[in-house]
Amino acid sequence: MGAAVKLESSVERFVGAPRKMLIDGKWVEAASGKTFETPNPATGQVLARVAAGDAEDVDRAVRAARRAFDEGSWARMAPAQREGILLRIADLIEKHADELAQLETLDNGKPFTESRHVDIPAAAGTFRYYAGWITKIYGETNPSDPAFFNFTLREPVGVCGQIIPWNFPLLMCAWKLGPSLACGNTSILKPAEQTPLTALRLGELLLEAGVPPGVVNIVPGFGETAGAALVRHPMVDKIAFTGSTEVGKEIHRETAATLKRVSLELGGKSPNIVFSDADTDAAVQGALLGVFFNAGQVCCAGTRLFVEQKLHDKFAEKLAQTAGGMQQGDPFDPATRVGPLVSKEQLDRVTGYLAAGKKEGAKPLIGGERNTEKGLEKGWFVKPTVFTGVKNDMKIAREEIFGPVVSVIPFKDENDAVLQGNATNYGLAAGVWTRDVSKAHRVARAIRAGTVWVNCYNVFDVVSPFGGYKQSGYGRELSSYALDLYTQAKSVWIKV
Ligand code: NAI
Ligand code: MG
């Protein structure tokens, strides 16, 4: 495993030694001296040991971020100078793209081609996009009574706690840090315990780019320790979280005590709706991308695949056949389309859902089990799975699985498709496949979700907002909408 690509020597350095955390511009060990292991999901082998942040480390990091914010080294820096620093971050990510992509694939298990050609360039692009906003964040002159001059300032929120998941580790750093830095905030970023390595490497690049000490602090550690301490800390002004709906609700409850600003990007159970008048080949490809990209560990995965009754059997067959042709294996092999799941815990969770689906009467047309073929038996691989015989009220159709598992469900007509599609607590995304333009418009409006893709799936661009309806969370990331998460308006009155 892993022989197909020659590792950059810097990757070996990075995965070899115990990794420290970044607080106030310095690399430090955890106050407790504790570390945790991060394994390679493809082999189960330990890649690196990482400092395990806890409440005391979080407190130091928050105080550093608070000081940096209050001293104004970042928020009051000339906008063009801050812009230059964000552009340098983007350039440095691109300069080290091979190394970052290798680290990402080693730590997360995703195919190297995806790390190298999707995640890392998108991370650089996100910093570059928000660099451009820094000189274009305006307040307003308001038409008040002429006895006064009234204007609004768009000021940063302050100290931001940013808690991210393991499915797109570096990209999630960029989605959080790009807009918060652009708006003049300071941060404590907590990467997921499963995938801390690229965030820590990014920390080195941030310093190299000229981000002042304390402006970004990176504290790896577990959710119940480092994450919870960040959520509770009274000096933190805002929490931005991406992860499970369960933890999102916990954060919502916990932050009530200090009334922090909160934005939440949570789980999904997205409907992908295929009408019988669709381009079937394109819809099959879109359905595959929708659910097997990143081994299905994607919050907007199109896991409920609704297919119009008369097309259902043929479509399910074709999907299973095409899915069967996707190579699963060594993430560094350029032919690999589906890698391992991120962790043993995720493997157990997903295989648990496979068992639950079979028990409730769903039939796997393909897959339905762990992949333990030679060379993969030590990794956390689950075979791409296509379930039929699924009803929308079964556990596998209601709960987020976060693995390479799709449920194909028939529907009668447009109304039925919309009703079943919306019959979920989630509302992150949806897909619609049809050649009928009017139908596409109607269904796109009728679905209650933050993103709807018509005749495509999983299309992302930093210019377009992303976020949830219903229990998929609130707040919009990316695009100019993310600036609203990281600024607040101040109204200033001057007596003329
Ligand atoms: P999680 O929600 O527990 O973890 C996400 C992040 O939150 C990690 O950095 C974790 O350390 C942190 N965290 C956990 N508990 C916390 C707490 N009490 N306070 C503050 N931070 C906390 O997700 P997990 O356990 O890794 O995965 C469970 C399920 O969540 C997955 O099977 C999937 O369904 C969903 N998920 C959704 C994601 C998304 O992109 N929306 C990403 C990751 C997981
Ligand atoms: Mg968890």
Side-chain angles (χ1 to χ4, degrees):
M1 297 284 291
V5 166
K6 190 185 162 304
L7 289 184
E8 300 264 322
S9 56
S10 49
V11 169
E12 282 164 358
R13 165 186 75 79
F14 206 77
V15 299
R19 298 308 307 167
K20 295 180 179 173
M21 56 181 95
L22 178 62
I23 297 179
D24 210 8
K26 295 188 191 68
W27 293 97
V28 296
E29 285 170 10
S32 66
K34 284 189 190 154
T35 59
F36 65 96
E37 292 174 347
T38 183
N40 177 345
T43 63
Q45 282 166 352
V46 175
L47 276 172
R49 300 195 66 82
V50 178
D54 204 334
E56 199 177 331
D57 310 290
V58 166
D59 184 58
R60 274 157 57 207
V62 170
R63 284 172 192 282
R66 186 81 256 167
R67 205 163 46 240
F69 185 78
D70 293 344
E71 282 169 0
S73 60
W74 185 247
R76 288 198 285 276
M77 184 184 279
Q81 197 184 341
R82 266 194 289 141
E83 177 190 10
I85 293 176
L86 260 74
L87 289 173
R88 271 203 295 284
I89 298 170
D91 290 345
L92 284 167
I93 291 173
E94 276 168 358
K95 180 175 165 199
H96 296 282
D98 284 331
E99 177 200 343
L100 287 164
Q102 287 173 3
L103 271 179
E104 202 75 306
T105 289
L106 286 169
D107 209 9
N108 166 282
K110 64 176 64 198
F112 178 73
T113 47
E114 288 175 18
S115 303
R116 181 64 185 83
H117 300 293
V118 182
D119 293 43
I120 309 303
T126 303
F127 280 106
R128 189 164 289 128
Y129 172 85
Y130 283 106
W133 269 113
I134 297 174
T135 51
K136 297 161 197 77
I137 299 172
Y138 295 93
E140 283 167 334
T141 308
N142 302 317
S144 66
D145 184 317
F148 302 91
F149 182 74
N150 176 238
F151 63 96
T152 38
L153 292 170
R154 283 188 87 179
E155 297 195 327
V157 173
V159 174
C160 301
Q162 304 181 310
I163 301 174
I164 58 172
W166 40 261
N167 50 348
F168 295 89
L170 187 76
L171 187 55
M172 288 301 108
C173 294
W175 281 30
K176 297 286 181 278
L177 291 173
S180 72
L181 286 172
C183 297
N185 301 276
T186 61
S187 287
I188 304 91
L189 176 84
K190 195 201 82 62
E193 55 270 34
Q194 296 85 352
T195 55
L197 297 181
T198 47
L200 294 171
R201 181 69 180 108
L202 177 67
E204 295 179 340
L205 300 180
L206 295 176
L207 297 181
E208 191 178 335
V211 175
V215 170
V216 177
N217 306 273
I218 302 178
V219 181
F222 294 89
E224 310 75 54
T225 53
L230 193 50
V231 169
R232 275 195 307 265
H233 204 293
M235 285 184 187
V236 172
D237 298 299
K238 175 191 163 61
I239 294 288
F241 172 75
T242 301
S244 61
T245 295
E246 188 194 349
V247 173
K249 289 179 180 176
E250 172 73 16
I251 288 174
H252 189 104
R253 280 190 296 271
E254 278 291 328
T255 49
T258 46
L259 278 185
K260 293 179 175 64
R261 277 48 181 159
V262 178
S263 49
L264 302 171
E265 201 264 271
L266 309 175
K269 195 71 193 174
S270 298
N272 192 10
I273 301 169
V274 183
F275 288 97
S276 58
D277 67 356
D279 175 342
T280 317
D281 291 339
V284 165
Q285 289 305 326
L288 285 179
L289 177 74
V291 84
F292 298 129
F293 178 67
N294 207 19
Q297 302 167 116
V298 181
C299 49
C300 53
T303 48
R304 292 183 303 144
L305 183 61
F306 293 102
V307 182
E308 196 165 345
Q309 191 86 62
K310 58 184 164 192
L311 180 66
H312 175 276
D313 294 359
K314 201 177 116 205
F315 194 88
E317 271 309 322
K318 204 164 174 182
L319 184 74
Q321 202 185 19
T322 322
M326 290 189 313
Q327 179 170 316
Q328 180 163 47
D330 179 357
F332 281 100
D333 180 339
T336 290
R337 293 277 307 276
V338 185
L341 298 177
V342 74
S343 64
K344 172 74 169 52
E345 190 190 8
Q346 203 58 23
L347 173 73
D348 292 343
R349 190 177 283 141
V350 173
T351 50
Y353 278 111
L354 296 177
K358 291 183 222 166
K359 199 163 157 225
E360 280 193 280
K363 298 216 166 24
L365 281 186
I366 187 169
E369 58 187 7
R370 183 177 179 178
N371 190 342
T372 52
E373 69 190 51
K374 199 166 164 356
L376 307 188
E377 65 276 21
K378 297 215 175 82
W380 302 311
F381 292 87
V382 167
K383 292 181 183 170
T385 299
V386 176
F387 271 124
T388 54
V390 181
K391 295 204 177 56
N392 203 22
D393 58 359
M394 287 181 180
K395 187 178 163 84
I396 54 167
R398 284 196 327 268
E399 296 180 17
E400 185 172 53
I401 298 177
F402 236 59
V405 184
V406 63
S407 295
V408 189
I409 307 172
F411 69 84
K412 285 200 296 286
D413 54 21
E414 185 180 324
N415 192 41
D416 185 33
V418 169
L419 279 177
Q420 291 201 65
N422 279 338
T424 167
N425 289 333
Y426 294 112
L428 197 54
V432 184
W433 298 83
T434 177
R435 287 189 169 101
D436 179 338
V437 178
S438 304
K439 199 194 291 180
H441 277 277
R442 282 194 305 270
V443 177
R445 285 170 190 244
I447 291 291
R448 295 190 61 210
T451 295
V452 179
W453 288 293
V454 177
N455 295 333
C456 55
Y457 207 92
N458 272 347
V459 184
F460 278 86
D461 191 319
V462 66
V463 303
S464 181
F466 185 75
Y469 278 33
K470 302 195 269 183
Q471 292 189 27
S472 291
Y474 47 79
R476 292 291 176 272
E477 299 194 275
L478 301 183
S479 78
S480 60
Y481 283 83
L483 304 175
D484 295 337
L485 302 182
Y486 291 101
T487 54
Q488 50 195 350
K490 176 185 281 176
S491 176
V492 183
W493 294 86
I494 312 276
K495 176 90 174 69
V496 175

